[in-house]
Amino acid sequence: MGVQPMKREDWPKIGTQFYFVCEHFYDHGHKEYVVCSGELTGYSENSSWTAMRIVGTGPYGYEIVSYYKPQEIGSKVFHSAKEAAQRAKQLTD
């Protein structure tokens, strides 16, 4: 059984703030996972998938554009920084 698709009317509204995990490299290639955030600016769609376009500041201070499926809310992209921090800790451990 696959993940049930979200109904279009349940998709987050443009302007919704999201939090997600970014890789950050420092000191000779050491890696850590940090929480990044951005605003939902739109949707990219084709006949087989839909992605949310989230624009925000990345781990190095530059603007980044990230894409997540609406179905990934709660597993890869989150409504709170705390949830994203828990995911970052899982990836680090």
Side-chain angles (χ1 to χ4, degrees), residues 27-75:
D27 291 341
H28 309 293
H30 294 291
K31 178 171 57 173
E32 66 181 351
Y33 294 92
V34 298
V35 174
C36 295
S37 67
E39 181 179 302
L40 175 62
T41 62
Y43 289 92
S44 296
E45 300 181 60
N46 72 24
S47 61
S48 60
W49 57 264
T50 298
M52 303 182 299
R53 184 177 57 250
I54 300 172
V55 178
T57 304
Y60 301 100
Y62 299 104
E63 182 176 89
I64 60 171
V65 179
S66 302
Y67 292 90
Y68 295 96
K69 296 176 184 175
Q71 298 85 352
E72 293 175 320
I73 296 171
S75 63

Side-chain angles (χ1 to χ4, degrees), residues 1 17 27 36 42-43 73 77 89-90:
M1 294 205 144
Q17 186 77 16
D27 291 341
C36 295
Y43 289 92
I73 296 171
V77 62
K89 182 171 178 1
Q90 288 174 343

